[in-house]
Structure formats: C-alpha cells, structure tokens
C-alpha cells in the first residue's frame, strides 16, 4: 500500500482557466429570481444596486457554459491551488470497506476553507468596477475571514456583520478578519434599521445569517460606492467554486478512476456545487451515472424536509425572491452549536437539480457528524471543519454499504475546511455536551406555512 500514490496535485498550468456554468447545460433551467417589489423576473440590471455588475450578469447567465477566470484571480488562486486530491487509505482500512474513498482537500487554502475561491473573484470584480467599500455577513466566520483577505488583496474596505453567537463563541475568526483589516460588528446591531427592529422586539436574540444579511444589505444600499457580497447560496458563488470539481476531475483521471458517488456538505450549496457540477455535466450529457449527495444537518434540513417555494434569502425580506428549497426565511436554527450549515434556504440551481432527481440529499444528526469527524482525524490526520463532518459522515455511510455488498465503489467527497479554529465544538463533543436535535414536522410546517404562496 505504501508504494501507491496517495496525493494528486496539478501543475500551475493545469489550474482551470474557466469556471463551469451548469445553468447553460441544464435541461430544466432554474426558475427566475423575482423582484421583491414587482414580483417580475429579475434582469441583471436589477441586481446592479447590490452586486458588482459582472457578478450580477454571472448570476443570471444561462447561456455560457464556460466563463473565463480573470488572470488576476487565477494568479491569486496559484498561491494555494491546485488543492490536493487524497486517497483516504487509512480511513478505508479503519472501515474495512472495499470502497475507494477520495477527498478533495480545500482546507489547505490560506484561510482554511473553500470560501476563498469565491472571495477572490468577488473582490476582484468590485475593484475593477471602481467600488471602494464592500459589506457582507458571516456565520461561523469562514466567509468573513476569506473575504477579509481578498478585500485586503484588492485594497477594498470591508464591513462584516457577524452572527452574534459566533462573534462571542468564535473570537479567533473575528481576530483573523481584524488581522486583515476588516471592521467586524456583531449582528443584530443597532447600526441598521433591520437590526434595531429585531433587537427592540427581542433584546436577547443571538442572531442568524438571515438577520446579518439584512444588515449587510442595508449598509450597502445606504453607502455610496459600496456593494454587498455573499459567500454561498447564489449562482455566481457556485460558479466560482467549480474550480474545485474541475481540478478534481483531472486529479481523478491521474488516479485512474472516476467517482461513482460525489458528496459535499450543504449549507447554502457552494462547496457541494463546486465539487459536483463539473462531474454532473457528464450525467447531463448521458455519459455517466454518478450519484451526487448533499449532506445537511438534521437540525437544518431544508433539502430533505423543506418546501420548494419562492422565498427571501434574508430575514427582513430585502433580497430577491428565490425559487428554492427552504425552511422559511423566519427559520431560527437551534442554538445547539454554531457550526455553520444553518442557513434556511438552498441555491436555486441545486434546488432545481434536486427537484429533477439529478442529485440526492441526506440529513446527518450532529453526533453522527462528529463521530465521523473524529474517525477522519484519527485516520487521516486532519481535524475537519464541523461543517465538513457532515460530508465525511455521508461518505462513511456509503462506504459501509459497500462493505455489506462487497462493491468497490469510488467515493469522492469535498473536505470543505479544517476545524483548527472550531475546537470549542470538538471540546463540547468530547465532553459529551453535544446533543442531537431534529425539528418536528410541526415546527417545519408552522414556519413554511407563513410563506407567501408564489409558485
Ligand atoms: C461555509 C462553509 C460551508 C457551507 O457553505 P456551502 O455554501 O454550503 O459550501 C461548509 N464548509 C465550510 C468549511 C464552510 O466554511
């Protein structure tokens, strides 16, 4: 076994030159996002007040399958790409499975997660269009940290609204953002109308991504020369993340294999989309029959138990209406851990793909996700991000099935990040303080029944 290649890396020249836009090749296109006021399908111009123009065009682009990666962006990618594709021999052995398990290691980026793959182009396009200030929200702090780095690289000023519970529980991510010069405010805050309203009604509110998005959007709309950026959910974010899957495709070829199953953990959908879409294009063409599995937490099960419905992307209802699987924009995730993946909705592309049966979703209980993360750490030597643990758990479940059937399936999952700044969550798990939490059907029905029926 020791003589076998374990780790596959690409040369600089082999780093992708284009992102893959799956919208162009989907037989059923995603339904259009709607203007929140007029309820008419959005045009790119409708997004210009919020997002950089090029990002607005990418968001709604359903015609170009390949979009060139600007040279400045590719140059920054070269600081850490390609990321390794690794065969998890030790994990396979511990499981006693005949399956071949591979993971794409996005945790080696300077910030420790895949988020930087979209932070760099978003900051780049803003800079190129003469923007001076950007705003965003962050939950666990991964996106905020990645964007802080990218903003600094392009000389932009960044204001981050960080979900209050994470601001308090994850001081190191806050410090990373501040190290790169970002201004970080706990959300909800009194600095915006949206935050003030929520705090007046509920002074102890611990914050949610939906609320933080409302605050960041409000600041962007009220500040000259300022745009808003988002680290997940939107189609242009998924587009940028395809650099992961495009590399993985070449690396799997180096390994002489092709995945039967591709797995990503699922918050808003960006890392899952990134690892999956380049492989999924072969399914769409009819050449392959790979299974794609999104792994979400049982405490926030929008794909497995939510409704497909037009809904807002934020709490206050500032964003366009998005056709997606959702638990309702008023969904307040349980405070059992601040480990990410707690967003109420899913990207519009992924939502359509799930509806059309091109992919599957599973929900993973919290303790099972940490059991998986511990085993992965102890076999492969990397402490995974709590988010990534959901993908590992799903991969382990598939590998165990192979053990029962004796099938030598090839399983590929995305290791979206490392957990070295999330040790509080591991500490709680090791101390036995973490619990499983699943929503009741009544909770879900109550929240989604309040949505305006547009579909
Ligand atoms: C943000 C994040 C996720 C979840 O977001 P997606 O958009 O669904 O990928 C997963 N893993 C890590 C490490 C993250 O930082």
């Amino acid at each position: 076994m020791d003589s076998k290649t374990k780790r596959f890396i690409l040369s600089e020249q082999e780093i992708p030159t284009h992102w893959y836009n799956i919208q162009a090749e989907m037989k059923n296109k995603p339904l259009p996002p709607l203007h929140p006021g007029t309820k008419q399908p959005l045009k790119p111009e409708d997004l210009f007040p919020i997002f950089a123009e090029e990002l607005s065009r990418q968001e709604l682009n359903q015609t170009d399958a390949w979009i060139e990666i600007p040279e400045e962006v590719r140059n920054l990618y070269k600081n850490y790409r390609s990321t390794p594709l690794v065969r998890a021999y030790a994990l396979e052995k511990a499981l006693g499975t005949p399956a071949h398990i591979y993971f794409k290691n996005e945790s080696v980026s300077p910030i420790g997660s895949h988020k930087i793959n979209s932070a760099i182009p978003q900051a780049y396009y803003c800079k190129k269009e003469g923007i001076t200030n950007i705003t965003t929200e962050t939950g666990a702090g991964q996106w905020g940290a990645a964007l802080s780095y990218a903003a600094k690289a392009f000389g932009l000023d960044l204001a981050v609204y960080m979900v209050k519970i994470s601001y308090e529980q994850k001081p190191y991510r806050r410090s990373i953002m501040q190290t790169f010069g970002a201004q970080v405010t706990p959300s909800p805050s009194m600095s915006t109308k949206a935050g003030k309203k929520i705090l007046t009604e509920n002074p102890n509110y611990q914050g949610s991504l939906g609320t933080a998005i409302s605050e960041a959007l409000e600041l962007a709309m009220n500040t000259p020369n300022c745009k808003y950026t988002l680290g997940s959910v939107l189609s242009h974010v998924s587009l940028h993340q395809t650099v992961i899957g495009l590399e993985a495709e070449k690396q799997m070829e180096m390994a002489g294999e092709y995945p039967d199953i591709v797995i990503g953990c699922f918050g808003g959908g960006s890392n899952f989309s990134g690892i999956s879409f380049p492989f999924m294009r072969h399914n769409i063409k009819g050449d392959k029959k790979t299974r794609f599995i999104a792994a979400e937490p049982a405490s926030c099960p929008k794909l497995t138990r939510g409704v497909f419905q037009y809904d807002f992307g934020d709490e206050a209802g500032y964003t366009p209406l998005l056709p997606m699987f959702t638990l309702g924009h008023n969904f307040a995730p349980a405070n059992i851990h601040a480990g990410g993946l707690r967003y109420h909705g899913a990207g519009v592309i992924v939502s359509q793909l799930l509806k059309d049966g091109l992919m599957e979703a599973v929900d993973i209980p919290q303790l099972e996700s940490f059991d998986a993360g511990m085993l992965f750490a102890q076999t492969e030597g990397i402490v995974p991000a709590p988010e990534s643990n959901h993908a590992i758990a799903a991969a382990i479940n598939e590998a165990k099935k192979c053990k029962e059937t004796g099938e030598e399936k090839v399983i590929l999952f995305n290791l979206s990040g490392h957990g070295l700044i999330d040790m509080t969550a591991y500490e709680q798990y090791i101390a036995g303080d973490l619990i499983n939490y699943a929503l009741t059907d009544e909770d879900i029905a109550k929240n989604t029944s309040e949505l305006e029926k547009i579909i």
Side-chain angles (χ1 to χ4, degrees):
M1 185 170 91
D2 284 336
S3 62
K4 287 188 200 150
T5 310
K6 241 199 116 167
R7 219 162 148 269
F8 302 88
I9 0 194
L10 303 175
S11 68
E12 266 189 17
Q13 291 74 30
E14 291 171 304
I15 298 172
T17 55
H18 293 71
W19 294 299
Y20 173 59
N21 177 22
I22 197 171
Q23 294 198 70
E25 299 194 328
M26 287 166 69
K27 297 200 173 86
N28 296 332
K29 307 288 182 206
L31 296 171
L34 304 181
H35 190 285
T38 64
K39 310 264 159 71
Q40 292 303 307
L42 279 188
K43 295 187 288 298
E45 303 85 88
D46 297 321
L47 292 171
F48 289 176
I50 307 175
F51 297 109
E53 295 184 6
E54 182 54 28
L55 296 170
S56 306
R57 282 189 283 269
Q58 289 177 358
E59 184 63 26
L60 299 174
N61 186 330
Q62 298 192 335
T63 48
D64 304 311
W66 298 97
I67 294 176
E68 189 168 7
I69 303 175
E71 196 180 332
E72 291 89 333
V73 171
R74 208 161 164 268
N75 273 337
L76 285 178
Y77 278 174
K78 285 179 190 167
N79 287 347
Y80 63 98
R81 308 207 69 87
S82 67
T83 62
L85 175 83
V86 185
R87 171 94 182 256
Y89 284 111
L91 177 63
E92 288 172 17
K93 191 169 167 213
L95 294 170
T97 178
H100 296 187
I101 305 176
Y102 292 84
F103 64 94
K104 178 73 167 155
N105 188 0
E106 290 296 305
S107 83
V108 302
S109 90
I111 291 299
S113 82
H114 70 289
K115 294 279 194 329
I116 191 168
N117 300 329
S118 186
I120 293 170
Q122 290 195 43
Y124 164 79
Y125 289 119
C126 286
K127 180 68 181 182
K128 193 168 166 235
E129 292 173 21
I131 308 304
T132 53
N133 292 63
I134 54 179
T135 72
T136 199
E137 76 295 324
T138 195
Q142 296 269 27
W143 168 244
L147 191 66
S148 301
Y149 156 84
K152 187 47 89 186
F154 289 103
L156 299 166
D157 281 338
L158 167 64
V160 182
Y161 286 96
M162 184 170 189
V163 177
K164 194 192 274 168
I165 186 168
S166 303
Y167 184 91
E168 284 157 8
Q169 289 182 350
K170 309 208 165 199
Y172 292 137
R173 283 255 165 64
R174 188 208 314 163
S175 314
I176 294 175
M177 291 186 259
Q178 289 163 339
T179 299
F180 286 111
Q183 180 205 322
V184 189
T185 308
S187 165
S189 76
M190 295 298 278
S191 71
T192 63
K193 269 200 303 209
K196 233 182 248 170
K197 178 161 179 289
I198 288 161
L199 279 180
T200 313
E201 284 163 12
N202 182 357
N204 294 324
Y205 190 54
Q206 291 294 289
S208 74
L209 269 183
T211 305
I213 294 174
S214 300
E215 293 206 273
L217 263 174
E218 193 181 317
L219 181 66
M221 292 190 289
N222 295 332
T223 311
N225 225 12
C226 181
K227 298 287 175 197
Y228 167 71
T229 64
L230 188 61
S232 181
V233 185
L234 293 175
S235 301
H236 66 264
V237 184
S238 294
L239 171 76
H240 304 151
Q241 294 296 353
T242 59
V243 68
I244 302 172
L246 291 165
E247 284 182 2
E249 201 186 341
K250 292 184 192 170
Q251 291 164 311
M252 289 297 308
E253 213 175 292
M254 290 166 78
E257 306 218 73
Y258 191 90
D260 298 302
I261 304 174
V262 175
I263 298 170
C265 67
F266 199 96
S270 75
N271 92 88
F272 169 79
S273 304
I275 187 89
S276 298
F277 291 174
F279 291 101
M280 206 182 280
R281 79 182 197 273
H282 302 298
N283 278 35
I284 292 175
K285 286 184 193 142
D287 299 340
K288 297 282 183 195
K289 290 204 168 80
T290 302
R291 287 173 60 208
F292 299 92
I293 305 175
E296 63 183 6
S299 58
C300 189
K302 59 251 173 181
L303 295 177
T304 50
R305 295 170 69 198
V307 292
F308 184 79
Q309 158 84 60
Y310 271 101
D311 191 15
F312 293 107
D314 69 324
E315 173 109 34
Y318 293 151
T319 70
L321 283 157
L322 303 171
M324 61 183 180
F325 280 94
T326 179
L327 294 167
H329 62 276
N330 291 322
F331 173 73
N335 280 335
I336 49 164
H337 85 184
L341 308 185
R342 309 203 317 163
Y343 184 66
H344 68 271
V348 303
I349 298 176
V350 165
S351 293
Q352 187 66 44
L353 293 169
L354 182 64
K355 202 159 159 271
D356 290 343
L358 282 151
M359 56 172 278
E360 311 159 38
V362 292
D363 61 342
I364 307 282
Q366 171 156 255
L367 291 177
E368 185 183 330
S369 74
F370 275 92
D371 292 344
M374 295 289 283
L375 179 62
F376 183 81
Q378 289 166 11
T379 49
E380 296 297 321
I382 303 170
V383 179
E387 293 91 340
S388 312
N389 286 346
H390 298 80
I392 299 171
I396 288 177
N397 288 341
E398 292 300 325
K400 283 182 177 164
K401 283 186 212 160
C402 291
K403 188 177 178 181
E404 283 164 25
T405 61
E407 285 173 290
E408 244 184 57
K409 285 193 180 153
V410 178
I411 301 171
L412 166 65
F413 73 87
N414 192 40
L415 184 72
S416 53
H418 69 65
L420 294 178
I421 311 173
D422 302 289
M423 293 318 290
T424 323
Y426 279 89
E427 224 172 80
Q428 289 171 339
Y429 169 83
I430 292 164
D433 290 341
L434 285 188
I435 50 162
N436 282 332
Y437 179 88
L439 290 162
T440 65
D441 290 340
E442 290 75 45
D443 291 336
I444 293 175
K446 181 178 169 300
N447 224 40
T448 52
S449 66
E450 288 166 8
L451 297 176
E452 199 184 333
K453 292 278 177 288
I454 298 177
I455 286 183

